[in-house]
Amino acid sequence: KFDFLNPKTGVKISKNGWQSYLSYAVANKEPNRDDFEASTVNQPKKETLHDIEAGVEKRTATFFGGATLYYMFYKDQLVLTGMLNDVGAYTRVNVPNSYRLGLELQGAYVFSNWLNASGNLTLSRNKIKSFTEYLDDYDANFDWKGQHAIVHENTDISFSPSVVGAVTISILPVKNLEINLLSKYV
């Protein structure tokens, strides 16, 4: 049974086309159904996230620019480690401490009534302070020998790239027609 309280608070100040904000939020998430297929000894706990963000934005008729600094601290984040359950399925386990620290930049500019561009860039560190990876072990004849445990310290969170960016150029040649040229980098 999981009961959560997920409070959020923040302040925003606007003046002369500038906006600045500061926020704090807590989010809890229950494990997925298949996370409970781990052994009865290793049942998952809820994940808890503390998110602190501060940002600034500027808007005019032709320009938008913004920057956000964030720190997300996870308690008991569920991650894949390669561990097998008693029927041979890979399971996620809770890691005690992990975090995401980053800077998000956004911008857009209207060059004319038929041409505009926008883009964003995120630079981040996404780390697990300590976790144990499990690797399947086969000998030269492919006989199952079990798993090797490897302890990692201050390692990257999987599927969490440290650089993500995108640029869009929009062309509006006639009314009700828009052509977008998209590029993304991960």
Side-chain angles (χ1 to χ4, degrees), residues 106-119:
Q106 304 170 37
Y109 192 79
V110 177
F111 294 98
S112 68
N113 61 349
W114 62 271
L115 178 66
N116 60 61
S118 63

Side-chain angles (χ1 to χ4, degrees), residues 27-45:
N28 293 282
K29 181 181 176 292
E30 70 274 5
N32 295 338
R33 182 183 175 109
D34 57 350
D35 293 326
F36 289 100
E37 295 173 358
S39 70
T40 55
V41 177
N42 190 21
Q43 288 295 291
K45 298 180 276 189

Side-chain angles (χ1 to χ4, degrees), residues 140-171:
N141 297 325
F142 300 103
D143 291 329
W144 175 250
K145 297 294 184 188
Q147 292 189 303
H148 287 297
I150 302 169
V151 176
H152 295 275
E153 302 291 330
N154 200 36
T155 190
D156 292 330
I157 298 174
S158 64
F159 307 106
S160 299
S162 59
V163 178
V164 177
V167 173
T168 301
I169 297 172
S170 298
I171 302 166

Side-chain angles (χ1 to χ4, degrees), residues 54-68:
V56 63
E57 297 177 352
K58 174 66 173 172
R59 287 186 188 273
T60 68
T62 58
F63 170 80
F64 166 76
T68 302

Side-chain angles (χ1 to χ4, degrees), residues 1 5 16 26 30 59 90 94 99 130 132 162 172 179 182:
K1 181 178 179 182
L5 180 62
N16 299 330
V26 175
E30 70 274 5
R59 287 186 188 273
Y90 292 106
N94 296 102
Y99 70 93
S130 178
T132 303
S162 59
L172 299 94
I179 300 167
L182 308 168

